[in-house]
């Protein structure tokens, strides 16, 4: 049986254009709107509190991470179109309340991206497809129970593979529209220090909008992994990733242009000014919150030489690292990776042609 015979029909996402205007729920819409009170009063938007966290430290970092991600949506508009709008009490502090727009029509998806490298079974045969699992309805528990034997232990060992049953599909490793979106999401995670989406044998917290002709992933639920000893340490992008398969894919062209405007065409000072403006002047307060969290956990915020960094320094170095890895220069170079990137891909033995 050929691979094409073995694949369930899915949404045709290849070469589909993105919507021409940012969605009403998006960070871009709020950042571009002259009168945000109109959005706040709109019945088309549902504002919700972020998920509860038992420990106060976790609550603070969750709010700070969401505001930082929102601010980056103003610096890199590609992110602004897929991030939900956020509003908070300013100046940001430990007691600041915050709400996020609930993105309508999103469903959880669990993707076995690693199968593009390892194959789907013990044979190790790579045929260019990977398993995707998602319910045709929203609801976190619905997705978990459909895709995992044990919803309390969502690991690769408990993943349910039941293609071609409803909710179990196979997607192409050559679908650049989907894989480039995920590569872009991976970069956002790196910049803000968010770990809980891409692992070497599974994904988590991936959401896309159902019933659209184009599969469009949205970026929701951002927080730091406070259990990681290196969360505040700088390391180059290629050394940080846990899902090496995504290193083989280009970033969306709009995101590349966004990064080009910030790094080779811009400066650190311009980056900081724009990020601060997008965060309503709260960049220093949010950065201070991260620095206080690092201090309370006895974590060092340092570079590769163990020299002290500020949170703003760390953000800028991460953005520069992404531009360096993807060879984003003054020229309109659309190559996926530079020579160092290909060496990384070779190290992980990444191939997509089987």
């Amino acid at each position: 049986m050929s691979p094409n015979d073995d694949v369930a029909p899915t949404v045709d996402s290849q070469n589909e254009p993105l919507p021409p205007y940012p969605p009403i729920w998006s960070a871009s819409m709020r950042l571009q709107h002259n009168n945000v009170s109109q959005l706040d009063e709109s019945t088309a938007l549902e504002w919700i509190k972020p998920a509860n966290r038992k420990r106060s430290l976790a609550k603070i970092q969750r709010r700070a991470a969401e505001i930082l991600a929102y601010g980056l949506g103003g610096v890199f508009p590609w992110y602004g179109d897929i991030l939900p709008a956020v509003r908070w009490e300013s100046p940001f502090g430990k007691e600041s309340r915050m709400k996020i727009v609930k993105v309508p029509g999103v469903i959880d998806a669990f993707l076995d991206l690693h199968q593009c490298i390892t194959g789907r079974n013990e044979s190790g045969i790579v045929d260019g497809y990977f398993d995707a699992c998602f319910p045709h309805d929203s609801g976190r528990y619905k997705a978990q129970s459909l895709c995992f034997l044990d919803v309390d232990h969502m690991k690769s060992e408990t993943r349910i593979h039941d293609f071609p049953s409803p909710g179990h599909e196979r997607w192409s490793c050559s679908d650049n529209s989907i894989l480039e979106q995920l590569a872009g999401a991976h970069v956002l995670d790196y910049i803000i220090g968010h770990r809980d989406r891409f692992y070497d044998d599974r994904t988590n917290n991936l959401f896309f909008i159902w019933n659209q002709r184009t599969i469009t992933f949205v970026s929701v639920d951002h927080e730091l992994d406070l259990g990681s000893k290196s969360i505040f340490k700088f390391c180059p992008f290629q050394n940080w990733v846990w899902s090496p398969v995504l290193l083989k894919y280009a970033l969306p062209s709009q995101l590349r242009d966004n990064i080009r405007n910030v790094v080779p065409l811009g400066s650190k000072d311009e980056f900081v000014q724009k990020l601060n403006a997008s965060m309503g002047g709260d960049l220093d307060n949010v950065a201070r919150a991260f620095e206080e969290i690092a201090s309370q956990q006895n974590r060092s915020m340092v570079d590769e030489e163990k020299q002290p960094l500020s949170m703003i320094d760390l953000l800028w170095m991460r953005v520069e690292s992404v531009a360096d890895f993807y060879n984003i220069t003054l020229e309109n170079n659309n190559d996926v990776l530079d020579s160092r990137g290909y060496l990384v891909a070779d190290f992980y033995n990444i191939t997509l042609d089987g």
Side-chain angles (χ1 to χ4, degrees):
M1 181 178 293
S2 68
N4 289 334
D5 295 328
D6 195 33
V7 178
T10 62
V11 177
D12 180 12
S13 63
Q14 192 75 20
N15 299 321
E16 284 289 335
L18 291 173
Y21 302 106
I24 189 173
W25 50 260
S26 68
S28 286
M29 178 61 76
R30 189 172 184 83
L31 288 164
Q32 296 171 15
H33 215 279
N34 293 326
N35 186 1
V36 295
S37 61
Q38 293 178 347
L39 294 176
D40 293 343
E41 297 167 1
S42 173
T43 57
L45 298 177
E46 180 182 355
W47 292 90
I48 59 175
K49 296 179 180 179
N52 291 327
R53 296 293 185 268
K54 295 181 180 180
R55 295 183 297 126
S56 60
L57 194 63
K59 292 179 182 179
I60 296 168
Q61 67 85 13
R62 172 66 190 275
R63 293 195 296 266
E66 292 290 3
I67 295 171
L68 175 58
Y70 172 82
L72 289 168
V75 179
F76 307 105
W78 187 83
Y79 289 129
D81 291 349
I82 64 171
L83 285 162
V86 179
R87 68 187 192 196
W88 65 93
E89 292 176 337
S90 184
F92 177 76
K94 294 180 180 179
E95 304 302 323
S96 294
R97 292 175 293 182
M98 183 187 75
K99 287 190 175 181
I100 306 172
V101 169
K102 181 179 180 180
V103 183
V106 296
I107 58 175
D108 291 41
F110 296 95
L111 310 179
D112 291 339
L113 299 175
H114 61 284
Q115 293 176 345
C116 292
I117 301 174
T118 65
R120 291 194 309 275
N121 51 48
E122 295 178 356
S123 68
I125 297 175
V126 179
D127 64 2
Y129 294 89
F130 63 91
D131 283 303
C133 179
F134 52 89
H136 291 184
D137 195 4
S138 60
R140 182 69 169 162
Y141 182 77
K142 292 179 182 178
Q144 292 173 341
S145 58
L146 176 70
C147 304
F148 291 90
L149 294 170
D150 184 351
V151 298
D152 294 323
H153 299 87
M154 294 189 300
K155 300 180 179 180
S156 59
E157 294 82 3
T158 62
R159 264 283 275 124
I160 298 173
H161 297 98
D162 197 21
F163 173 83
S165 298
H168 297 270
E169 298 188 0
R170 286 190 178 146
W171 290 1
S172 173
C173 299
S174 300
D175 191 334
N176 290 331
S177 175
I178 287 178
L179 275 300
E180 288 180 7
Q181 287 185 65
L182 297 179
H186 205 198
V187 165
L188 177 63
D189 288 353
Y190 168 67
I191 295 173
I192 68 174
H194 176 59
R195 271 296 191 188
D196 194 23
R197 278 207 283 201
F198 297 100
Y199 296 86
D200 60 357
D201 60 357
R202 63 185 178 92
T203 64
N204 188 39
N205 286 324
L206 287 180
F207 306 88
F208 68 87
I209 300 176
W210 182 240
N211 283 337
Q212 284 193 346
R213 177 171 175 77
T214 301
I215 291 180
T216 302
F217 284 88
V218 298
S219 188
V220 299
D221 288 348
H222 309 96
E223 58 184 325
L224 305 184
D225 179 8
L226 295 181
S228 171
K229 295 181 179 180
S230 61
I231 191 65
F232 293 114
K233 294 181 180 180
F234 171 77
C235 73
F237 174 67
Q238 65 268 27
N239 297 338
W240 181 88
V241 298
W242 284 352
S243 183
V245 63
L246 290 177
L247 296 176
K248 255 309 201 188
Y249 295 91
L251 297 179
S253 59
Q254 181 188 349
L255 180 56
R256 288 182 61 89
D257 289 341
N258 293 163
I259 296 172
R260 180 177 293 108
N261 288 335
V262 169
V263 180
L265 292 175
S267 67
K268 178 183 176 181
D269 286 344
E270 291 171 334
F271 166 74
V272 171
Q273 290 171 11
K274 192 163 188 177
L275 181 58
N276 186 50
S278 299
M279 296 169 65
D282 261 325
L283 174 58
D284 284 341
N285 295 324
V286 170
R288 188 177 303 113
F290 284 124
E291 291 165 359
E292 289 177 356
I293 291 170
S295 176
Q296 291 177 40
Q297 293 203 310
N298 295 317
R299 303 286 169 79
S300 299
M301 193 171 287
V302 295
D303 61 16
E304 290 182 286
E305 304 300 325
K306 297 185 178 181
Q307 295 300 308
L309 294 173
S310 69
M311 185 65 193
I312 294 174
D313 291 335
L314 181 59
L315 292 173
W316 175 246
M317 290 177 68
R318 287 172 175 170
V319 172
E320 284 189 311
S321 180
V322 170
D324 183 51
F325 178 77
Y326 284 100
N327 195 26
I328 299 175
T329 63
L330 291 173
E331 299 178 358
N332 188 21
N333 185 342
N334 289 319
D335 292 341
V336 176
L337 305 173
D338 63 7
S339 59
R340 283 162 293 181
Y342 280 115
L343 288 174
V344 171
D346 291 342
F347 174 78
Y348 286 108
N349 193 26
I350 298 174
T351 58
L352 300 180
D353 56 8

